[in-house]
Amino acid sequence: MMDLMGERIKRRREKLHIQASDLAKSIGVTASLISQIERAKAFPSILTLKKIADALHITVGALIGEESSLNQHPLVHTNEKKFVKKNKTGTKSYLLSHHDSDKIMDPFFLDFPVKGNSNDIMTTNNPRQEYCYVVRGAFDVVVGANSYSIEEGDSFYFTSKEQHLFTNTYSAHSQLLWVVNQSS
């Protein structure tokens, strides 16, 4: 685990274009110690690890691998999907991936009861892009001043900047696959 931590520190440092000597100077240790930590030849104290994390604008958890789920655990079985939220109309959202600080999109499964909608589930006024695929059922979709009807097998791509609402128009539960890119 410590050798992976050293690799994570080095990878993050290089991603930020920070030289080992500059990192060392900013946290008050020698460049030799940073090199040894990155090669798993030395192990930092908790205080030094916290200073490294702060200097690299990352969490200690990310450096020790606490958040490395995607690489080590890319599979999410159906019984492992994570419940996120239920709104007043009964629509439920589930996260379909593990947490990872490096992921660039979040996939969700949305389950709409009859007449359920996406209010308080899908966010608005964010500089993000969203993609939806109708797994089951039918929806009326309003994005800004435009209205659309979509049904099973249809897909819909839009930005979150405009007000938007999905409403189930099917006679039973409707389901969406919803993919949202992370905010910049």
Side-chain angles (χ1 to χ4, degrees):
M1 179 168 111
M2 290 299 182
D3 58 334
L4 293 175
M5 179 184 64
E7 290 173 22
R8 287 186 197 98
I9 291 170
K10 182 176 181 178
R11 195 170 44 244
R12 179 68 178 180
R13 178 180 60 74
E14 289 175 344
K15 181 178 180 179
L16 296 175
H17 305 290
I18 298 173
Q19 297 295 319
S21 57
D22 294 334
L23 174 61
K25 187 176 182 178
S26 74
I27 66 168
V29 299
T30 66
S32 174
L33 179 60
I34 296 297
S35 175
Q36 290 175 4
I37 291 169
E38 289 181 350
R39 293 180 293 124
K41 302 293 181 192
F43 306 106
S45 68
I46 301 262
L47 180 61
T48 300
L49 184 59
K50 175 68 173 135
K51 288 179 180 180
I52 291 170
D54 289 346
L56 297 178
H57 309 289
I58 196 167
T59 65
V60 170
L63 291 179
I64 64 172
E66 188 175 85
E67 301 171 355
S68 63
S69 300
L70 286 181
N71 291 333
Q72 295 178 10
H73 306 289
L75 174 64
V76 176
H77 291 283
T78 190
N79 63 337
E80 297 173 326
K81 64 186 176 196
K82 297 167 189 75
F83 173 76
V84 177
K85 191 177 202 180
K86 179 179 178 180
N87 72 9
K88 291 179 182 178
T89 67
T91 299
K92 297 177 186 176
S93 65
Y94 300 87
L95 182 62
L96 299 177
S97 66
H98 295 291
H99 174 75
D100 191 298
S101 59
D102 290 329
K103 73 180 181 177
I104 59 173
M105 64 182 173
D106 285 316
F108 293 92
F109 177 80
L110 303 182
D111 184 49
F112 294 75
V114 176
K115 298 183 182 177
N117 66 45
S118 62
N119 193 35
D120 293 328
I121 299 282
M122 297 173 138
T123 56
T124 302
N125 296 326
N126 290 310
R128 304 188 306 186
Q129 297 176 353
E130 303 187 24
Y131 170 82
C132 296
Y133 176 81
V134 181
V135 176
R136 177 175 187 228
F139 296 89
D140 279 342
V141 180
V142 176
V143 177
N146 299 310
S147 297
Y148 308 89
S149 291
I150 60 175
E151 56 189 37
E152 191 170 318
D154 291 343
S155 58
F156 200 87
Y157 189 94
F158 61 101
T159 62
S160 305
K161 290 179 184 177
E162 292 190 85
Q163 191 72 24
H164 52 275
L165 184 71
F166 283 64
T167 303
N168 180 9
T169 58
Y170 192 58
S171 60
H173 275 253
S174 287
Q175 299 168 335
L176 280 180
L177 172 63
W178 175 43
V179 181
V180 183
N181 76 313
Q182 294 285 338
S183 295
S184 303

